[in-house]
Amino acid sequence: MRLSDFLKKQGTEKNLAELILFLGRQSLVVKKGFLTMPGKGPEGERTRNVFGEEQMPLDKYADGVFIDALRQARLARYIATEEQEQIIEIPGAKNDFGIVMDPLDGSSLIDVNLCIGTIIGICPGNVLDKGSRFLAALYILYGPLTTLTYTTGKGVHEFMVDESGEFVLRHQDLRIPDGKIYAPGALRKDWIPAHARWIEDLEKSGYKLRFSGSFVADVHQILHKGGVFTYPGIKGKDAGKLRLLYEANPMGRIIAEAGGAVSNGKEDLLNIQPASISQVTPVYIGGKKEIALIEKFMREG
Ligand code: AHG
Ligand code: MN
Ligand code: MN
């Protein structure tokens, strides 16, 4: 079944369905950029985003593709992305939607051709909103197949691009299974004690290491196979690295809808009111039991 038919069948509100389909189409334009964009920009043209990270040509290209297309189509009022310093407001927008986006996740893997993705959350209005209030969350994974996984609060569903460039149903009503994969970000030497104890516990229970450098790819694997991803708060950087708006909340919303959970180690991330668009947060995302365990260890100190 095609994504457009599936959205209709689910009774998705018309404007929201149109926006999801539109974003899916833009991801195909982004994918075309893989053929021509170099992994790194030429020296002298390299720039950094507000997080101090070097922007790859594909980061800027993907950001531009989504923003330009949304400006033209006017399907949302606000856009906040990892590559922009400020919220963009679209004059004459047809809808009040706010979009939060990591246009290209896993940038360090572009030049080696490993899986990367796009992460998007759709808010009812203002982008400074809790993940629990998202109307939809989706991600596109550029892997051997290009897939789009989304939720509008009625299950988590995965579509893939077929030969004709259509998104067609691949998995309906995904539920995160029990599984023993762990994907731990950051350096072991910087882990705080509760986090280190938790990792030790997972390792003793036989969890296998799977960390690629792309949040979206690692969480996608965990959605299918179970387990947990973390990019924790660390010594000297207790707020962690990943972005609450652009990464943690949209992926968290999807995993929560699939029966998992997302936390900063202390509380459900989806209930946190963001203070700024560039807020970063420790992230624990995956199965409920792994998240309950880190929260227990954090409480114990
Ligand atoms: P981005 O490519 O959007 O900057 O995100 C990179 C993120 C995330 O995808 C990944 O899990 C993490 O950063 C990897 O960080 P390290 O290189 O520190 O492992
Ligand atoms: Mn990212
Ligand atoms: Mn990014």
Side-chain angles (χ1 to χ4, degrees), residues 182 184 188 191 196 198-207 209:
Y182 76 125
R188 185 174 285 261
W191 289 347
W198 178 71
I199 295 282
E200 199 186 322
D201 196 294
L202 297 178
E203 288 173 347
K204 272 195 193 138
S205 310
Y207 279 65
L209 183 66

Side-chain angles (χ1 to χ4, degrees), residues 8 23 71 97 116 120 200 209 254 258 274 277 283 298:
K8 221 177 270 165
L23 293 166
R71 270 192 204 283
F97 300 132
I116 53 180
I120 301 172
E200 199 186 322
L209 183 66
I254 289 170
I277 56 169
V283 176
M298 288 283 198

Side-chain angles (χ1 to χ4, degrees), residues 77-283:
R77 187 171 305 281
Y78 305 105
I79 316 172
T81 87
E82 193 179 274
E83 309 307 338
Q84 297 291 323
E85 279 177 38
Q86 277 162 358
I87 301 171
I88 295 171
E89 185 168 354
I90 299 180
K94 297 172 193 159
N95 305 304
D96 285 331
F97 300 132
I99 292 184
V100 287
M101 170 181 305
D102 179 354
L104 215 289
D105 175 69
S107 306
S108 71
L109 303 176
I110 295 169
D111 55 351
V112 291
N113 188 34
L114 285 186
C115 282
I116 53 180
T118 295
I119 305 172
I120 301 172
I122 303 176
C123 309
N126 182 2
V127 292
L128 271 183
D129 209 347
K130 296 178 183 177
S132 59
R133 282 182 32 87
F134 283 179
L135 299 173
L138 61 141
Y139 64 83
I140 294 106
L141 184 72
Y142 310 103
L145 295 172
T146 299
T147 60
L148 184 156
T149 305
Y150 86 95
T151 187
T152 56
K154 295 176 187 163
V156 174
H157 317 291
E158 185 179 312
F159 291 77
M160 64 170 209
V161 179
D162 70 6
E163 306 90 329
S164 66
E166 278 287 340
F167 282 100
V168 294
L169 186 61
R170 184 168 146 81
H171 293 288
Q172 188 171 345
D173 288 314
L174 280 165
R175 304 291 296 170
I176 182 168
D178 253 355
K180 291 197 169 179
I181 285 180
Y182 76 125
L187 300 182
R188 185 174 285 261
K189 70 174 178 59
D190 297 328
W191 289 347
I192 60 170
H195 181 80
R197 282 208 307 283
W198 178 71
I199 295 282
E200 199 186 322
D201 196 294
L202 297 178
E203 288 173 347
K204 272 195 193 138
S205 310
Y207 279 65
K208 276 193 190 169
L209 183 66
R210 294 282 188 274
F211 189 85
S212 73
S214 163
F215 178 55
V216 71
D218 291 338
V219 174
H220 176 77
Q221 178 168 200
I222 285 161
L223 170 61
H224 281 273
K225 297 191 174 170
V228 67
F229 173 101
T230 175
Y231 209 108
I234 52 178
K235 289 176 198 155
K237 210 175 170 191
D238 55 7
K241 169 182 180 180
L242 295 186
R243 279 60 56 154
L244 178 63
L245 259 66
Y246 312 133
E247 296 172 316
N249 272 345
M251 295 306 284
R253 183 58 190 274
I254 289 170
I255 291 295
E257 290 287 344
V262 63
S263 170
N264 57 10
K266 297 186 173 135
E267 58 180 318
D268 186 344
L269 274 186
L270 300 176
N271 289 331
I272 291 178
Q273 174 62 47
S276 82
I277 56 169
S278 52
Q279 191 164 334
V280 293
T281 178
V283 176

